[in-house]
Amino acid sequence: MASGPEVVLAARGARVIDAARMIAMPGFVETHHHMWSALGRNFVSTGFEYFAAKSATVAAYQPDDFYDSVLLGLVECAGAGVTTVNNWAHNVRGPEYADAELQAHADGLVRAR
């Protein structure tokens, strides 16, 4: 692998960035994220822990809630340096729920599976 000032890549319209005093690192990959439950973390409080809160609220989730939850999860991931996420979407209750999650991934602009 070549390095140093002798390496020049030609790309029409590219902007050259002097990264001589910088570190370039890949983003993190989140391999196991239940994104549909990101909203549910906001319902947790003392005496109403995560699993109890999730069980009490998930039945009321509609496709729009799944969309919002996945989008929130993607924002959280991006804020933590995650650039690729594997969404464990195991609570899909019908095509409209799957479509909502897929739309959130398309709108979220984070690589996802």
Side-chain angles (χ1 to χ4, degrees), residues 3 5 20 31 40 43-44 47-48 55-56 59 62 65 71 77 82 85 88-89 94 96 100-101 104 110:
S3 64
T31 62
F43 306 139
V44 174
F48 196 50
S55 295
Q62 297 300 309
D65 299 313
L71 201 57
C77 284
V82 172
V85 64
W88 284 77
E96 62 277 10
E101 291 206 24
V110 173

Side-chain angles (χ1 to χ4, degrees), residues 36 58-59 61 66 88-94 97 101:
W36 68 268
V58 71
Y61 274 36
F66 278 72
W88 284 77
H90 63 82
N91 195 28
V92 175
R93 292 184 249 162
Y97 291 86
E101 291 206 24

Side-chain angles (χ1 to χ4, degrees), residues 15 19 44 49 62-64 67 92 104 108:
R15 183 172 60 122
V44 174
E49 304 303 328
Q62 297 300 309
D64 287 348
Y67 174 89
V92 175

Side-chain angles (χ1 to χ4, degrees), residues 38-86:
L39 282 175
R41 290 193 300 273
N42 296 305
F43 306 139
V44 174
S45 65
T46 303
F48 196 50
E49 304 303 328
Y50 174 74
F51 288 107
K54 183 172 73 167
S55 295
T57 58
V58 71
Y61 274 36
Q62 297 300 309
D64 287 348
D65 299 313
F66 278 72
Y67 174 89
D68 292 341
S69 193
V70 170
L71 201 57
L72 172 62
L74 291 170
V75 168
E76 292 171 340
C77 284
V82 172
T83 58
T84 305
V85 64
N86 183 46

